[in-house]
Amino acid sequence: MKKIACLGIFTVLLSGSAFAGYDNEQFRAEIAEGLDLVGARENVDVADVAPGELGLDVYQSADAVQNDDIQMFIPTSLYLRAGGGINLGFATDDAHVGDVGYTSWNSWTTQIGLGWNLSSYVRTEIDFQESTFTFDKLDNANASYQTLGAMLYFDFARRYVQTGDITHRRAFVPFMGLGVASGFYQFDGTNGANGFVIAAPRAVLGFNVMLNDLIGIDIMYQYQMMIGNGFGWDVRAGGVDNISNVIASFRVNF
């Protein structure tokens, strides 16, 4: 009887091992079959419709990523700006020597700034500008400005747009800006109107073109109302002068 019981237990254990081996092999086969189906699905233009809302969301997101009209974009917080431009002599007040005025000619400015994106519409920036002026029919005389300014910019269109879980950027965004600046200017030569200057207001109108997700080009018109000691040589203390520039700069987001 004891031998019969041992034989029965041995038979059950052997059968269990056989079934366990069969289940393990079946499991491996099913996994392999599933991987083959996934590989085959990658080569199909239209993905199979997955059941349920979760599957629908997954395939909608996958289709959106593959859409060439949508650019994936991760919004950034800070940016650097660097560039330069030319002075618009016809939109800039003449510099004076006594009662004679001289128009700005072949004058230019450079700019470097650090900005912070407050939202998709608003950003703020601190910048340093240096402007060098020469004047028509006035040899051996020039002027220069060095100013530090603070600006608040408003974009006329969202820089990035979110559709579901997908965020894409705009390639073209017009903008305007308003701020103030202060610094020093110097007019070389005898009796130059050197001294402290305040640009209030400083106004900007322009547009941004993004070359890729991080680098873009800004083209803008800048107006500054300079409050200082006159614009020129041998001029009265005090006064307000208008200066206009067109500036092109690279904006690098990070």
Side-chain angles (χ1 to χ4, degrees), residues 79 112-116 124-128 148-151 153 202:
Y79 66 86
I112 183 170
L114 175 64
W116 181 25
T124 186
E125 182 179 319
I126 297 175
D127 77 322
F128 173 79
L148 184 66
M151 297 288 295
Y153 288 96
R202 173 190 282 177

Side-chain angles (χ1 to χ4, degrees), residues 34-186:
L35 293 175
D36 291 339
L37 289 175
V38 172
R41 184 174 296 154
E42 290 179 352
N43 296 323
V44 178
D45 293 336
V46 180
D48 296 337
V49 177
E53 292 297 327
L54 178 60
L56 182 60
D57 290 342
V58 169
Y59 283 112
Q60 284 180 342
S61 299
D63 292 341
V65 172
Q66 296 172 1
N67 190 340
D68 294 334
D69 295 332
I70 294 180
Q71 298 287 339
M72 292 293 295
F73 176 64
I74 301 175
T76 57
S77 297
L78 298 176
Y79 66 86
L80 285 174
R81 178 200 304 284
I86 60 173
N87 174 256
L88 301 178
F90 64 88
T92 297
D93 287 349
D94 291 344
H96 288 84
V97 179
D99 295 331
V100 181
Y102 295 90
T103 302
S104 172
W105 183 258
N106 290 333
S107 302
W108 50 274
T109 187
T110 57
Q111 178 192 44
I112 183 170
L114 175 64
W116 181 25
N117 294 317
L118 301 176
S119 71
S120 183
Y121 284 106
V122 183
R123 51 194 169 87
T124 186
E125 182 179 319
I126 297 175
D127 77 322
F128 173 79
Q129 291 189 31
E130 182 173 6
S131 301
T132 300
F133 293 88
T134 59
F135 302 94
D136 186 29
K137 300 179 181 179
L138 187 61
D139 298 332
N140 301 321
N142 58 68
S144 62
Y145 281 83
Q146 295 85 33
T147 58
L148 184 66
M151 297 288 295
L152 189 63
Y153 288 96
F154 303 91
D155 294 318
F156 294 145
R158 290 183 64 94
R159 291 189 304 278
Y160 55 87
V161 179
Q162 187 171 359
T163 305
D165 294 332
I166 304 301
T167 302
H168 65 278
R169 60 171 173 79
R170 294 186 187 274
F172 178 86
V173 176
F175 61 84
M176 65 172 291
L178 189 65
V180 298
S182 63
F184 295 90
Y185 61 83
Q186 179 176 354

